[in-house]
Amino acid sequence: MKHALLAALLASPSLPAAALTPTAPSAPATSRQQAVDQLFARYASRQTPGCAVAVSSAGQTILSRAYGMADLDHAVPATPATIYEAGSVSKQFTAAAILLLARDGKLSLSDDIRRHLPEMPDYGTPVTVGQMIHHTSGLRDWGAVSAMAGWPRNSRVMTNADVLALVAGQKGLNYPPGTHYTYSNTNFNLTAIIVQRVSGQSLAEFTAHRIFKPLGMTATRWRERYQWLVANRATAYAREGAAYIIDQPIEDAYGNGGLLTTTADLLRWNQALDTDALGPGFTAAMQETGVLTGGGPTEYAAGLRVSRHNGRQEIAHSGSTGGYRAWLGRYPAERLSVALLCNASDADPVNSGRAVAAVFLPPSPVRAAAPASPLPQPGLFLSSLTGLPVTITTDAGKLLADGKPLDPLGNGSWQRGDTRYVFSPTGALAIVNAGERVTYQRVPPASAVAIADYPGRYCGVDNDFCLIVSRADGDGLRVIPSSRPGLPPQALTPLFKDGFAAGNGTVLRFVRTPAGTISGLTYHDDRAFGVVFTRQVPPTGAR
């Protein structure tokens, strides 16, 4: 096999990066290593955090490198053995625990989650365990709901018990279970609780016994308590201007993220999936994607995204928690795996991981240039599902969505990353993500805004806090949650009739009675749709 020579020439993943160059390297091995080094050249410094990357072919490690510093405070360089937090790459291990319990006969993916989580509301239609691991449950993301109250992720310590208490108070869903796909961390925190209740072991204990130890993943554990000391762990950093600051997770909730691991251990896991090491049919179950109630498939399987990239099947997942970034990708037909772990928030794990894979994969077929499509009419489009807008503009012959350029695919389609933007001949917009197509309607932008209509106190139907909308200096509006009155108020920017941008991609949409009086508002986040707040205070005298 063409990578066998590379496997013999490059060193073990347990060695420091400097030791990876063999005494008499072959030209292909050297050139590929140099190509990977170039991808991470910005982190090859004692002044920056960085990344560890490893590649395997047919189960043999053919490259293992580390760049930058594991700890800037103490001048500790990163090595391939450095432990990082894997963010949402962790989800596949939580899903694997559920599939193992299903094989044990202790639960079924078709179980109503209330069988295991009686605290959860009755939504009229059951939410199933399988829908949770496929992100089709409709459950609101707990981080999005917490952020509405002024507590975004990593601003306070949360446990899985805290997540359950918060989510159990949400009487509404994003949509009826199984009808759509929406990424929600809630699914995997609740799944971790189900593992504990069904198995009698915590998720950490169960996965150690059934996955990590049998597969030789000796450096892997969960962040059950963020204060625990972990030898050889990299500190996470966020970019702030020209400098880095510490951005370490302070959460005890895990299952959605929180896996502490190395690139070598992640490659061991991918090899186990390649060889079905956890039992015949287990890998197929991990890769079985969700199906919506209307019959349409999604691209999301059991904590894995199964899609095609550059003409190849790619099974992968990215991760982000605090300043950690991660990506784990597998190309089954080529038996190639890439593991990437970083402690720098400005790392781009998906594009960097794919760029590493491209160094080792055969060249992709050259695609013909996309036929030119006329640029659609710019405008503001509103999602029929989330209630969130996207702004389409043009600049120098290029199409942009929310200010970011799109690549033309031809036939009225454009793309950014894994998301496609499809315009009909009439100018209607559909956005395709994870295999699901969501329609967007063109809406006129806000014109004259009667500021005096909106100030007041809006209190949650499913939440125990209120949103206080008041006039800002001049003719503006601002909002602040009653649960954190000391926060700086968030300015509201008019977008469309009765719709205002509230920062970080969120939108407030005010609701009027038939007589035209504002009676409430709905809060829209891309992981929590239309959360209802009712008006408690009339606008007279409100500031």
Side-chain angles (χ1 to χ4, degrees):
M1 193 166 184
K2 76 173 189 174
H3 290 313
L5 178 60
L6 292 175
L9 290 172
L10 291 179
S12 160
S14 64
L15 295 176
L20 290 172
T21 304
T23 308
S26 72
T30 303
S31 62
R32 288 174 176 179
Q33 180 177 289
Q34 289 171 345
V36 173
D37 288 348
Q38 185 59 38
L39 292 172
F40 297 95
R42 62 181 295 198
Y43 295 117
S45 166
R46 296 184 68 85
Q47 282 72 51
T48 68
C51 300
V53 60
V55 182
S56 67
S57 177
Q60 298 297 313
T61 300
I62 58 176
L63 180 133
S64 183
R65 304 287 282 166
Y67 309 88
M69 305 298 285
D71 186 332
L72 289 170
D73 272 342
H74 301 96
V76 179
T79 77
T82 298
I83 292 172
Y84 299 80
E85 189 161 323
S88 289
V89 170
S90 313
K91 286 182 169 67
Q92 57 200 279
F93 297 94
T94 308
I98 285 290
L99 294 182
L100 288 171
L101 287 169
R103 289 190 157 219
D104 294 344
K106 294 186 176 180
L107 57 74
S108 169
L109 297 187
S110 62
D111 284 351
D112 183 341
I113 62 171
R114 296 182 74 238
R115 175 181 175 184
H116 309 291
L117 302 169
E119 301 94 329
M120 292 295 290
D122 182 351
Y123 295 110
T125 301
V127 175
T128 70
V129 174
Q131 287 168 345
M132 287 207 300
I133 66 172
H134 292 138
H135 286 309
T136 59
S137 67
L139 293 169
R140 295 167 179 162
D141 182 270
W142 66 267
V145 175
S146 185
M148 295 177 197
W151 293 102
R153 287 283 305 277
N154 216 36
S155 61
R156 62 178 173 178
V157 179
M158 292 284 283
T159 66
N160 283 345
D162 294 328
V163 171
L164 176 58
L166 185 154
V167 176
Q170 303 298 303
K171 305 301 189 293
L173 294 167
N174 284 335
Y175 42 74
T179 59
H180 295 283
Y181 162 89
T182 301
Y183 194 91
S184 173
N185 283 295
T186 295
N187 293 312
F188 283 80
N189 294 98
L190 298 189
T191 299
I193 296 173
I194 290 175
V195 170
Q196 181 164 2
R197 292 183 177 182
V198 170
S199 72
Q201 298 177 297
S202 69
L203 175 64
E205 293 167 334
F206 183 86
T207 50
H209 176 62
R210 296 290 295 273
I211 299 174
F212 304 151
K213 290 179 181 178
L215 297 182
M217 298 173 65
T218 57
T220 300
R221 60 186 286 189
W222 291 93
R223 179 204 6 92
E224 297 176 85
R225 184 177 174 190
Y226 83 92
Q227 294 165 315
W228 281 349
L229 301 179
V230 178
N232 207 30
R233 174 170 52 176
T235 300
Y237 298 93
R239 190 83 178 188
E240 188 173 88
Y244 285 98
I245 61 170
I246 294 174
D247 190 11
Q248 198 72 5
I250 61 165
E251 294 171 349
D252 292 342
Y254 75 106
N256 62 318
L259 191 77
L260 301 173
T261 190
T262 63
T263 54
D265 273 8
L266 291 179
L267 291 184
R268 291 184 179 96
W269 166 248
N270 265 8
Q271 173 64 4
L273 293 179
D274 268 337
T275 59
D276 229 1
L278 291 180
F282 180 81
T283 298
M286 285 290 295
Q287 295 174 189
E288 184 176 344
T289 56
V291 178
L292 303 178
T293 52
T298 73
E299 293 179 349
Y300 202 90
L304 295 167
R305 185 165 178 153
V306 180
S307 60
R308 299 193 70 80
H309 181 69
N310 285 343
R312 294 187 177 88
Q313 186 185 49
E314 177 187 84
I315 302 174
H317 209 292
S318 62
S320 171
T321 303
Y324 292 112
R325 299 292 181 267
W327 189 76
L328 180 63
R330 186 163 58 91
Y331 299 87
E334 294 79 12
R335 296 290 304 277
L336 189 85
S337 288
V338 177
L340 174 64
L341 295 167
C342 304
N343 61 332
S345 69
D346 53 358
D348 182 352
V350 177
N351 287 327
S352 296
R354 285 174 170 171
V356 171
V359 172
F360 294 89
L361 289 168
S364 299
V366 177
R367 293 188 298 179
S373 296
L375 294 177
Q377 186 69 26
L380 185 68
F381 295 80
L382 203 59
S383 169
S384 60
L385 175 63
T386 68
L388 292 171
V390 60
T391 301
I392 300 297
T393 56
T394 59
D395 181 31
K398 291 188 175 294
L399 193 67
L400 297 89
D402 292 333
K404 297 179 180 178
L406 306 177
D407 297 321
L409 299 175
N411 300 319
S413 296
W414 282 260
Q415 183 168 317
R416 182 171 71 238
D418 294 316
T419 302
R420 286 191 296 126
Y421 297 73
V422 183
F423 293 86
S424 71
T426 62
L429 171 63
I431 296 181
V432 183
N433 181 44
E436 184 182 11
R437 186 185 186 100
V438 176
T439 59
Y440 282 67
Q441 302 298 323
R442 188 185 292 270
V443 294
S447 52
V449 177
I451 295 296
D453 287 353
Y454 301 102
R457 188 179 183 91
Y458 299 81
C459 294
V461 171
D462 292 351
N463 296 285
D464 60 357
F465 62 91
C466 304
L467 298 175
I468 302 165
V469 178
S470 61
R471 296 191 68 155
D473 294 337
D475 293 326
L477 289 170
R478 60 187 181 182
V479 63
I480 191 168
S482 62
S483 46
R484 291 201 72 186
L487 286 179
Q490 174 64 55
L492 297 180
T493 304
L495 290 173
F496 50 89
K497 181 176 171 56
D498 290 333
F500 295 79
N504 296 320
T506 61
V507 169
L508 300 187
R509 300 180 67 179
F510 291 86
V511 179
R512 294 182 183 269
T513 66
T517 303
I518 293 177
S519 59
L521 64 82
T522 53
Y523 190 113
H524 299 259
D525 179 277
D526 62 358
R527 297 180 181 179
F529 314 157
V531 182
V532 176
F533 293 78
T534 57
R535 193 175 201 172
Q536 303 296 309
V537 179
T540 305
R543 283 196 59 83

